[in-house]
Amino acid sequence: MPELPEVETVRVGLKRLIVGKKVASQSHDWPKSFPNSQGDVNQFLIGSKISDVRRRAKVLIIDLDTKYSLVIHLKMRLLPTIEIPNIDFMKKVGPEPLETEFTSDILHQRLQRRKNSSIKAALLDQTVLAGIGNIYADESLWGAKIHPETKVGQLTKPQTKKLYTEIVNVLRLSIEKGGSTDRNYVNAEGKKGSYIEFAKVFRRENLPCPRCSTTIIKTRVAGRGTHLCPKCQVVQND
Ligand SMILES: [Zn+2]
């Protein structure tokens, strides 16, 4: 599953390539990933002009001049543009970490929904924050020197502030590098991203920590493979 930087990279690339173009025909590799009736496709998609390519969390939205949009999450659906904010996912999803309204105070508030969880589980929760998955959770926790198992309620204000800065920096760097190619992700032009070469802990188990040279370990937190430096990131739960 791609995370925010990968979806953003695809969005920017697609926007450049397809806005203003007309949809001539439609084809797909996997019928289950395109659950739309032929009638809807003919009426709202074929012949329509693409007016914008937007993103919310990890969801890509292609707006058409028929006032319908293609909403691409795990499946691609056609939907009236006006109904998008009513999709269950859109109603529940947390704030966009790269928007100017997102501040360290907002991060602190959002995290309070998961006071008793580990910070890693809270970061992966899309209702807390939009678009963060395993890679960027591990990278930003390393940057902030926070152990992924630390309980949200134990985090100090300065730690939350540092975590906020790290989340924003890690996501920005990844977008700059075209995302991280993991399994089957490629950008709008079919190219791979290079962020993973810049990762500090993710998939770097048994290698030295770039900050203190201690060997990075891989463990399991929140049910996910988790990479951390056992010296820089110490659990501080009471
Ligand atoms: Zn370290």
Side-chain angles (χ1 to χ4, degrees):
M1 178 95 186
E3 302 182 31
L4 187 154
E6 290 76 54
V7 181
E8 180 63 12
T9 301
V10 171
R11 184 192 73 79
V12 171
L14 274 181
K15 190 168 169 140
R16 205 175 43 226
L17 291 172
I18 66 173
V19 166
K21 299 216 165 134
K22 248 187 185 169
V23 181
S25 65
Q26 177 274 127
S27 69
H28 49 261
D29 301 334
W30 189 243
K32 273 192 183 162
S33 63
F34 194 81
N36 303 291
S37 74
Q38 196 56 50
D40 279 355
V41 168
N42 292 342
Q43 193 178 350
F44 302 112
L45 182 62
I46 308 294
S48 68
K49 208 170 174 185
I50 292 163
S51 51
D52 201 4
V53 183
R54 299 181 285 139
R55 180 188 60 75
R56 177 75 171 99
K58 306 174 190 179
V59 179
L60 202 61
I61 301 160
I62 300 179
D63 292 324
L64 308 169
D65 68 353
T66 50
K67 299 243 182 317
Y68 267 62
S69 300
L70 283 165
V71 179
I72 305 149
H73 190 26
L74 292 168
K75 292 174 180 170
M76 187 189 280
R77 292 177 67 202
L78 261 170
L79 284 178
T81 305
I82 202 162
E83 281 179 21
I84 293 174
N86 301 326
I87 304 171
D88 236 19
F89 171 81
M90 293 294 180
K91 281 197 275 191
K92 286 187 201 148
V93 72
E96 286 288 332
L98 294 179
E99 279 181 3
T100 42
E101 303 86 71
F102 180 69
T103 61
S104 94
D105 287 338
I106 303 264
L107 175 65
H108 176 76
Q109 277 170 32
R110 300 297 296 185
L111 286 172
Q112 299 320 301
R113 302 162 151 246
R114 300 285 306 258
K115 240 180 164 150
N116 298 316
S117 315
S118 69
I119 182 63
K120 173 138 183 186
L123 287 180
L124 294 177
D125 180 344
Q126 299 300 296
T127 66
V128 170
L129 201 58
I132 309 280
N134 212 27
I135 304 174
Y136 304 108
D138 283 6
E139 289 295 304
S140 46
L141 287 168
W142 178 85
K145 299 188 184 179
I146 297 169
H147 193 288
E149 275 177 305
T150 306
K151 292 267 185 292
V152 168
Q154 302 276 334
L155 286 181
T156 63
K157 264 262 158 92
Q159 278 180 313
T160 308
K161 207 165 181 177
K162 179 80 178 126
L163 180 59
Y164 161 80
T165 307
E166 290 299 322
I167 290 170
V168 172
N169 288 347
V170 158
L171 291 175
R172 287 226 173 101
L173 174 67
S174 184
I175 291 170
E176 193 189 305
K177 302 298 173 195
S180 53
T181 295
D182 191 28
R183 296 180 203 97
N184 52 10
Y185 159 78
V186 285
N187 71 14
E189 286 150 338
K191 290 188 187 133
K192 294 178 171 194
S194 68
Y195 173 75
I196 220 80
E197 294 164 29
F198 298 85
K200 303 293 200 301
V201 282
F202 191 79
R203 298 255 169 87
R204 288 180 49 86
E205 60 268 33
N206 303 321
L207 292 170
C209 165
R211 196 162 39 207
C212 75
S213 302
T214 302
T215 304
I216 292 163
I217 58 165
K218 186 177 178 186
T219 172
R220 247 183 134 67
V221 180
R224 304 291 299 273
T226 296
H227 307 78
L228 62 98
C229 168
K231 193 175 172 201
C232 292
Q233 296 167 271
V234 179
V235 200
Q236 46 182 359
N237 295 330
D238 292 337

